[in-house]
């Protein structure tokens, strides 16, 4: 069921022009997902699964897939201020931060920014406006107690 929820939101988010649109969100008991697209079709996804255990992730899925395996250094530009985000796992053509404490910390920092820039070591990045993040904060709080 969780995979279906994520796929539905990825489909709808992929068909909408995201510049200036709010985050696409969805939740169920103990589960939450939020998706944001930029004008080029890059995706930024925040998920939380507290149904079985505390798990959270931030995923960046660029239009041009990340090649290779292992980890890639990621930084976030929050309103122009560069914030090191650690090494994210290369995952299905993108990168993912899966450490619960690190994800919670990054989401809190992202919530105050108007623009979120994703910078990958040796790869092109993307910029996302943060319009509608208050719904993301509410969804995370309801589903995952954050």
């Amino acid at each position: 069921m969780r995979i279906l929820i994520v796929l539905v939101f990825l489909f709808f988010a992929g068909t909408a022009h995201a510049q200036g649109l709010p985050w696409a969100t969805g939740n169920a008991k103990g589960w939450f997902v939020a998706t944001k697209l930029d004008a080029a079709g890059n995706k930024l996804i925040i998920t939380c699964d507290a149904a079985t255990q505390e798990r959270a992730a931030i995923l960046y899925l660029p239009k041009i897939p990340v090649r290779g395996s292992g980890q890639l250094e990621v930084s976030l530009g929050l309103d122009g201020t560069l914030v090191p985000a650690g090494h994210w796992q290369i995952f299905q053509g993108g990168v993912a931060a899966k450490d619960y404490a690190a994800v919670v910390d990054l989401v809190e920092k992202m919530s105050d920014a108007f623009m979120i820039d994703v910078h990958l070591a040796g790869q092109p990045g993307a910029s996302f406006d943060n319009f509608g993040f208050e719904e993301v904060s509410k969804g995370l709080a309801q589903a995952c107690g954050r």
Side-chain angles (χ1 to χ4, degrees), residues 102-116:
V103 168
V104 168
D105 182 53
L106 287 172
V107 168
E108 287 176 5
K109 290 176 181 175
M110 290 166 56
S111 69
D112 294 329
F114 292 107
M115 291 296 295
I116 301 167

Side-chain angles (χ1 to χ4, degrees), residues 6 48 63 70 100 110:
V6 171
C48 177
K63 185 81 172 175
Y100 187 82
M110 290 166 56

Side-chain angles (χ1 to χ4, degrees), residues 60-131:
Y60 169 62
L61 301 172
K63 185 81 172 175
I64 300 170
V66 174
R67 304 241 184 261
S69 62
Q71 296 185 341
L72 194 60
E73 187 174 345
V74 177
S75 297
L76 298 179
L78 305 176
D79 294 333
T81 302
L82 202 59
V83 176
H87 288 81
W88 293 16
Q89 181 180 357
I90 296 175
F91 176 77
Q92 296 182 353
V95 291
K98 296 183 179 181
D99 177 69
Y100 187 82
V103 168
V104 168
D105 182 53
L106 287 172
V107 168
E108 287 176 5
K109 290 176 181 175
M110 290 166 56
S111 69
D112 294 329
F114 292 107
M115 291 296 295
I116 301 167
D117 301 317
V118 179
H119 303 281
L120 304 178
Q123 304 276 335
S127 293
F128 301 89
D129 68 74
N130 208 12
F131 177 66

